[in-house]
Amino acid sequence: QVQVVESGGGLVQPGGSLRLSCAVTGSPSSNYDMAWSRQAPGKQRELVARITRRNTTNYADSVKGRFTIDRDFAKKTGILQMNNLKPEDTAVYYCHLDINVLGTHHSYWGQGTQVTVSS
């Protein structure tokens, strides 16, 4: 019932900018955090940004000051604005919804969108 779809990936030069979008269909039963994680070939998946159900934000040290996460609660959409991109930002980026209520955890993940930073 709940689906998550990312879009906006592509090829950009170092120092460039890109905006990723996340759209949610269906209706999660509880309030949820929206987050972005990424995975590069040969690397472990890492959490890069999170915006909580209370609208607080958290960023990985590697992207702090360069990336901005935001969401529209009513429209069930979110964005990840990425500025001053570096080659090491190259990865598949995933939007996911994280539910943590009553001592339980559940997540809905999108299919991912490729971001490549290269000259």
Side-chain angles (χ1 to χ4, degrees), residues 12-16 38 40 43 66 84-91 93 114-119:
V12 295
Q13 294 184 336
R38 67 187 182 187
K43 303 286 186 66
R66 299 188 298 119
N84 192 24
L85 284 161
K86 304 176 180 180
E88 51 263 43
D89 295 319
T90 296
Y93 283 71
Q114 177 71 49
V115 172
T116 302
V117 185
S118 179
S119 298

Side-chain angles (χ1 to χ4, degrees), residues 1-56:
Q1 182 178 350
V2 177
Q3 292 187 330
V4 180
V5 180
E6 308 97 331
S7 62
L11 174 65
V12 295
Q13 294 184 336
S17 297
L18 203 61
R19 179 177 294 183
L20 306 183
S21 297
C22 179
V24 179
T25 61
S27 182
S29 60
S30 302
N31 290 331
Y32 52 87
D33 295 353
M34 179 176 285
W36 291 88
S37 295
R38 67 187 182 187
Q39 187 162 28
K43 303 286 186 66
Q44 290 187 318
R45 188 170 62 206
E46 62 176 346
L47 177 69
V48 299
R50 176 184 300 277
I51 182 165
T52 72
R53 64 204 72 185
R54 297 178 62 181
N55 211 36
T56 59

